[in-house]
Amino acid sequence: MNHSGTLYVVATPIGNLQDVSLRALDVLKAVDVVAAEDTRHTAGLLSHFAIQKKLVAVHEHNERKAGEQLIQRLQAGESVALVSDAGTPGISDPGAVVVGMAHAAGIKVAPIPGASAVVAALSAAGIATPGFQFHGFLPAGGSQRRSALQSLADVAVTLVFYEAPHRVLDSVADMAAVLGPERTLTIARELTKTFETIHRLPLAEARAWLEEDANRQRGEFVLLVEPAPAKEVAPVDAEAQRVLTLLLDELPLKQAVKLATEITGAKKNALYELALSLKQS
C-alpha cells in the first residue's frame, strides 16, 4: 500500500486496548506522523503496542493552525494518522476541521474504522426500532439543554447522547421532563472498561437510580432514549374532507389546510395528513 500523502482517520479503542484493529496498528506503524488530541494519551497507546512515532498535538484549541501544518506535510508527500483520545476523530471529538481542510486541498482521506461508543451502546441496548439520531453532547446550561431536547421530542427514531458524569443527573431529569417519563432510557456507562454498566429503565426512574450509588455517576456515558410513541391522528369527517378537497383544487397545500381548519374546526394535523395523501393519489 502506498501511504504517501494520505491522511488516515484512525479509530482507537474507547477503553479496552484489545479492541484496536490490526489495520489501525499497521497504519500507525507505517505513517510518518501521528496527529493526536492528547499526545501524552496517544503516547501510552503507541507504547503499549511497541510503536515509536513522531506525535503532534491537534485539539479543539489549535485544530485549524495545526491543520495547516499537517496539510503542508501531506502536500510534501508525508502520511499522517489522525487520532483522538478514544473512538473516531470528528465524532464529538476534534478532527473534522482537519479532514475538511484535507478534502479542500485535494488530499486523499482514508478512514480506518474501529471501536465506537455509539454503535457499541446501540448493539447492547436491545432497541428494535430501526433508525437512530446521534446528537452528541447536550448543552451544559439547563435552559439550552431543555430547548435542545424539546426540538427532539417528536423524533421517531432512537435518540443517542453522550454525557459527562458531572451533568448526567440534570440531563436525565430534563429528559424525563421534556421527552416524557414513560419513555425507556438505556444508560451505557464505561463501555469496554472494567466497570462497564448497561441498564434499561423508564426515564422517570433514571435520576433516582443514578443517585442510589455514587459509582453509577462516574465515567463516560452514552444515553439512548427510545423513540416517541406514534401519535394517533383523529379521523376527518366527510364534510371536512369535502371542504379540503375543494380548497386543494384552487390553493397550495398549506393554505388549503389552514382555511379548511378555520372553516370546519377539524384538527390541523389530521387535515394536513389527509391533504398529503390526496395530493399523492
Side-chain angles (χ1 to χ4, degrees), residues 142-198:
S143 60
Q144 295 95 332
R145 180 170 55 241
R146 289 186 290 274
S147 178
L149 288 168
Q150 188 62 57
S151 71
L152 300 169
D154 295 326
V155 173
V157 297
T158 299
L159 301 175
V160 185
F161 306 93
Y162 285 161
E163 195 49 276
H166 61 283
R167 291 198 300 262
V168 69
L169 291 178
D170 289 339
S171 285
V172 298
D174 283 343
M175 288 177 187
V178 176
L179 301 179
E182 74 288 346
R183 289 169 69 169
T184 299
L185 171 71
T186 300
I187 298 173
R189 184 181 73 89
E190 291 291 86
L191 290 173
T192 78
K193 301 173 186 175
T194 302
F195 298 105
E196 176 181 88
T197 303
I198 299 169

Side-chain angles (χ1 to χ4, degrees), residues 11-25:
T12 55
I14 58 175
N16 192 320
L17 295 182
Q18 296 305 113
D19 288 335
V20 71
S21 74
L22 294 175
R23 187 177 175 212
L25 292 177

